[in-house]
Amino acid sequence: MAKRLRSSEVCADCSAPDPCWASINRGILICDECCSVHRSLGRHISQVRHLKHTPWPPTLLQMVETLYNNGANSIWEHSLLDPASVMSGRRKAGPQDKVHPNKAEFIRAKYQMLAFVHRLPCREDDSVTAKDLSKQLHSSVRTGNLETCLRLLSLGAQANFFHPEKGNTPLHVAAKAGQTLQAELLAVYGADPGTQDSNGKTPVDYARQGGHHELAERLVEIQYELTDRLAFYLCGRKPEHKNGQHFVIPQMADSSLDLSELAKAAKKKLQSLSNHLFEELAMDVYDEVDRRETDAVWLATQNHSTLVTETTVVPFLPVNPEYSSTRNQGRQKLARFNAHEFATLVIDILSDAKRRQQGNPLSGSKENVELILKSISNQHSSESQDNDQPDYDSVASDEDTDLETNTAKSNRQKSLDSDLSDGPVTAQEYMQVKNALVASEVKIQQLMKVNINLSDELRIMQKKASKLEKQSSVSEGDYDNPTTPLELEETGSGRKGRQRSIIWQGEGSIPEDTDTAPSSSLPSTEDVIRKTEQITKNIQELLRAAQENKHDSYIPCSERIHVAVTEMAALFPKKPKSELVRTSLRLLTSSAYRLQSECKKTLPVESCPGTDIQLVTQQVIQCAYDIAKAAKQLVTITTKENNN
């Protein structure tokens, strides 16, 4: 785990004290509020990682710390350091500025538009300039001057540049010189440790040849970073590269569910992709894993006493204008996969990556990646598409890359999606079971403290207000039929005619009560808080059982949680008028159902040696987390509405 940097550090964007996030590719430290903006820009702009709650390769953390301490931020704020910029009225954001629009506009200008970086004199042939910069980078990486290399990369130098005279790349030079931090920086900017020079040698070969064995091992890790992270996301394990093991392929606990015709067809299409398209899909899934893991850390580390905040999670991958519209749409669809669907896709990618590396090719195909995503996402859900409403972030056409337009549309869509994404919470915060459960329990305890504090404050308010009429049953409610993540994501966009694919309590789908008029009344905040406390108490019991490996306690705990969830849902009208209330209730009840389903998978563990109990536990934690998040959302909504 990362060691904390000096307490005197300040946010590179707004100068707030004690920043707890890092932007790896920018070489800076940032605060919570600025981090929320960085995340909304996408990994192609800023790669964020928490300093404490995310595992770090030691040399990667050392690289970021070195860049920060040596003034890397001045690269991105070059013109702001000019006294003339003060005269022109340009200034950086301050700690007291609002996130929107002040900090957000500054951060977008700084990193997306590169408005303040040093500009080279205009030349007619930009390719010549890029070549010159790359040659400078090639010679600079043999030294320890990281900020010089970052400056060259920021100006357009290519990390994978193949020097025509020298016959190698900057990474070959850094590896031969034993410059570990330079190798880390080059890798962040896309340098490939497997590239061969004119003599057929890779950077790994030169590191070993020079006696830099730790660097050689780290370069091998970087080479397999994508598949390593996908495997770790699912099962908390990484392969032993030292022993020649380069892949870990997790197994699903309920492998029988993977035999559907749609799953087989999707896997076949995946295998028939060209290497180029397969690599694109794998990189997109990697980005989605990063989004989900960072969401987990983000939600776990926020101050839950602030129920209404300007900062939110990122509901799906932001648009990358360098990608085609089809690819951007496919990337955003990944957020709609539930835990099982996404795990299936990840395992298929890991299996096929191993097959491809071992040289077992299949006939190539120009099959679109979009069809693969659609096939997998349809394993558990059938949908009727209403094209009048947008599902996702606005995606640029292949010809249109107007960043300002896309950013504005992106923000509007995010305001609709809010904090209601249904992605799994796994890996670095939750996949190593012991640490995961401790972190989850701390988060639940924080929520309970918030509920208690709110309850005390609101009792005084409730004495002066009449209690709203409570509904005693939800057996026919609009939210009684849990939905798949596909349906969950679409409720805010006016989707109609969804066919239920998951049945509440296994008794069949109950039709909506069309005779009941939508109701805008909400229960008292005090009642919602009391039921939330009951839910979180039961979740704590489940997490303790998981921490102590008492798998036989999963089912009774899940049943108690289900009862508590049903009682909380009963507080609300059968057909709430608020779209946000309906969506939160769907997340609450569908997560409770999924929790019961996941807990039942522990029954055959002894008789079925192929069951991965760690993967089951991860899914159980995910469902419990989603229930707690939905309950918190309902507390937030009722508090806000009842106070208006």
Side-chain angles (χ1 to χ4, degrees):
M1 296 294 288
K3 62 184 178 68
R4 187 62 181 92
L5 302 179
R6 296 196 305 271
S7 60
S8 60
E9 311 292 2
V10 298
C11 174
D13 294 335
C14 74
S15 302
D18 301 324
C20 52
W21 295 84
S23 174
I24 298 173
N25 58 322
R26 303 295 178 175
I28 58 168
L29 306 183
I30 50 178
C31 67
D32 272 354
E33 290 190 342
C34 292
C35 177
S36 70
V37 182
H38 277 252
R39 293 199 59 216
S40 71
L41 299 178
R43 291 189 74 253
H44 58 288
I45 301 294
S46 182
Q47 301 171 19
V48 300
R49 188 181 291 221
H50 199 278
L51 290 170
K52 285 186 177 180
H53 294 277
T54 308
W56 283 78
T59 51
L60 183 62
L61 176 63
Q62 188 181 350
M63 181 208 77
V64 174
E65 183 177 6
T66 301
L67 282 171
Y68 179 85
N69 290 333
N70 285 279
N73 194 42
S74 63
I75 295 173
W76 316 112
E77 295 184 355
H78 176 82
S79 64
L80 290 180
L81 300 176
D82 186 345
S85 67
V86 178
M87 302 297 294
S88 66
R90 291 193 303 179
R91 69 174 188 89
K92 68 183 295 178
Q96 305 305 320
D97 284 335
K98 290 185 177 181
V99 179
H100 299 287
N102 306 69
K103 291 184 179 180
E105 288 181 354
F106 172 74
I107 290 169
R108 288 193 189 99
K110 181 177 175 181
Y111 301 108
Q112 194 173 57
M113 305 303 179
L114 299 178
F116 314 123
V117 300
H118 174 64
R119 299 290 181 183
L120 292 175
C122 293
R123 293 176 60 169
E124 293 182 3
D125 190 349
D126 289 339
S127 63
V128 175
T129 301
K131 186 175 181 180
D132 292 341
L133 290 168
S134 299
K135 285 186 175 181
Q136 290 182 48
L137 177 68
H138 189 278
S139 62
S140 297
V141 293
R142 69 180 75 252
T143 72
N145 199 332
L146 278 181
E147 58 273 20
T148 296
C149 293
L150 179 60
R151 190 179 302 275
L152 291 168
L153 289 164
S154 74
L155 292 172
Q158 299 300 303
N160 258 330
F161 173 73
F162 191 88
H163 199 296
E165 289 84 28
K166 308 289 185 181
N168 57 12
T169 69
L171 192 55
H172 284 94
V173 176
K176 189 173 183 179
Q179 292 290 347
T180 302
L181 302 188
Q182 294 283 21
E184 290 282 2
L185 178 61
L186 291 169
V188 167
Y189 275 82
D192 182 6
T195 299
Q196 294 183 347
D197 66 1
S198 56
N199 295 320
K201 291 187 176 181
T202 68
V204 178
D205 295 329
Y206 282 107
R208 287 176 178 153
Q209 183 179 313
H212 312 299
H213 299 297
E214 290 184 359
L215 173 56
E217 291 172 6
R218 175 61 184 144
L219 287 172
V220 173
E221 288 179 2
I222 291 171
Q223 190 171 357
Y224 289 95
E225 180 187 1
L226 190 152
T227 50
D228 282 2
R229 189 166 185 185
L230 297 189
F232 189 81
Y233 170 75
L234 288 183
C235 64
R237 298 192 300 272
K238 289 184 178 180
E240 294 288 338
H241 296 293
K242 291 181 183 179
N243 301 328
Q245 179 197 17
H246 298 308
F247 293 92
V248 168
I249 313 294
Q251 292 183 343
M252 296 292 286
D254 51 351
S255 57
S256 61
L257 296 179
D258 298 332
L259 301 178
S260 68
E261 291 304 314
L262 282 170
K264 290 179 181 177
K267 189 170 185 177
K268 187 175 181 180
K269 290 175 182 175
L270 181 74
Q271 292 175 339
S272 66
L273 284 177
S274 67
N275 285 338
H276 174 69
L277 287 178
F278 177 77
E279 288 172 3
E280 284 189 352
L281 175 60
M283 288 189 289
D284 293 345
V285 171
Y286 176 95
D287 285 351
E288 175 64 13
V289 165
D290 180 83
R291 185 194 69 82
R292 295 186 183 208
E293 288 178 340
T294 308
D295 259 0
V297 178
W298 175 263
L299 290 167
T301 55
Q302 294 308 290
N303 180 4
H304 294 284
S305 63
T306 307
L307 290 177
V308 182
T309 175
E310 291 182 286
T311 60
T312 60
V313 297
V314 176
F316 41 73
L317 290 173
V319 168
N320 184 340
E322 294 183 3
Y323 295 161
S324 68
S325 58
T326 300
R327 184 175 179 185
N328 272 312
Q329 289 167 352
R331 283 164 59 84
Q332 293 180 351
K333 278 182 167 58
L334 291 170
R336 301 170 69 177
F337 287 22
N338 65 25
H340 182 276
E341 294 164 348
F342 194 61
T344 300
L345 175 58
V346 170
I347 290 172
D348 285 348
I349 285 177
L350 286 169
S351 301
D352 211 48
K354 182 178 181 180
R355 177 189 66 79
R356 289 169 188 258
Q357 195 208 46
Q358 292 175 347
N360 182 18
L362 293 175
S363 58
S365 169
K366 295 183 179 179
E367 191 74 57
N368 198 301
V369 173
E370 173 76 9
L371 297 179
I372 294 174
L373 300 181
K374 184 176 180 181
S375 297
I376 296 173
S377 66
N378 281 341
Q379 285 181 51
H380 304 285
S381 310
S382 60
E383 57 176 326
S384 59
Q385 195 78 328
D386 176 2
N387 292 322
D388 293 335
Q389 297 289 341
D391 278 327
Y392 305 106
D393 213 346
S394 299
V395 175
S397 68
D398 294 354
E399 294 79 20
D400 177 17
T401 58
D402 187 336
L403 289 175
E404 291 288 5
T405 302
N406 287 323
T407 301
K409 292 180 180 178
S410 169
N411 291 337
R412 284 198 296 272
Q413 186 59 37
K414 282 171 190 163
S415 68
L416 293 174
D417 288 274
S418 180
D419 186 34
L420 303 180
S421 63
D422 192 29
V425 180
T426 49
Q428 295 166 348
E429 186 71 14
Y430 295 99
M431 273 309 307
Q432 293 183 346
V433 177
K434 184 175 180 180
N435 293 335
L437 296 168
V438 170
S440 298
E441 190 162 354
V442 168
K443 178 156 47 63
I444 297 300
Q445 288 171 345
Q446 288 176 338
L447 180 57
M448 289 183 69
K449 288 178 182 178
V450 171
N451 292 338
I452 293 170
N453 293 337
L454 279 173
S455 182
D456 291 340
E457 295 174 6
L458 291 166
R459 280 193 184 99
I460 300 173
M461 298 171 57
Q462 293 301 324
K463 289 180 182 179
K464 299 179 181 180
S466 60
K467 291 189 176 181
L468 298 172
E469 183 178 355
K470 303 183 187 70
Q471 301 294 331
S472 60
S473 173
V474 291
S475 60
E476 294 180 337
D478 179 56
Y479 47 83
D480 194 44
N481 296 313
T483 63
T484 66
L486 284 171
E487 295 166 317
L488 255 175
E489 294 283 351
E490 291 176 343
T491 52
S493 299
R495 298 298 178 199
K496 300 177 181 178
R498 293 286 173 260
Q499 178 180 352
R500 310 298 194 202
S501 63
I502 301 178
I503 308 303
W504 188 245
Q505 296 178 333
E507 295 178 355
S509 181
I510 302 173
E512 293 183 3
D513 187 353
T514 55
D515 296 332
T516 302
S519 173
S520 59
S521 64
L522 292 176
S524 69
T525 308
E526 185 178 21
D527 287 340
V528 176
I529 288 174
R530 187 166 59 250
K531 292 300 180 184
T532 299
E533 289 173 350
Q534 185 179 346
I535 291 172
T536 51
K537 180 180 178 181
N538 290 320
I539 287 176
Q540 280 184 300
E541 292 179 5
L542 175 64
L543 295 177
R544 276 195 291 269
Q547 189 173 13
E548 296 168 5
N549 294 320
K550 295 180 179 178
H551 306 129
D552 54 349
S553 299
Y554 282 13
I555 292 177
C557 284
S558 69
E559 290 173 350
R560 286 193 289 273
I561 291 172
H562 172 258
V563 170
V565 164
T566 303
E567 290 177 355
M568 181 165 181
L571 295 174
F572 291 82
K574 293 181 180 180
K575 198 169 183 180
K577 188 174 182 179
S578 168
E579 193 73 45
L580 203 54
V581 171
R582 290 201 298 273
T583 307
S584 297
L585 285 167
R586 283 194 175 98
L587 177 58
L588 183 75
T589 54
S590 64
S591 298
Y593 171 79
R594 292 206 331 263
L595 176 64
Q596 285 189 305
S597 300
E598 294 296 336
C599 289
K600 288 177 183 177
K601 295 175 185 176
T602 60
L603 288 175
V605 169
E606 290 77 11
S607 58
C608 183
T611 299
D612 190 336
I613 191 61
Q614 192 173 17
L615 184 55
V616 172
T617 298
Q618 177 262 319
Q619 307 284 23
V620 167
I621 295 170
Q622 164 64 40
C623 294
Y625 175 84
D626 284 347
I627 293 169
K629 183 171 73 170
K632 174 178 176 286
Q633 289 167 356
L634 290 169
V635 171
T636 303
I637 295 167
T638 52
T639 301
K640 187 175 181 180
E641 292 299 322
N642 290 334
N643 286 346
N644 287 340

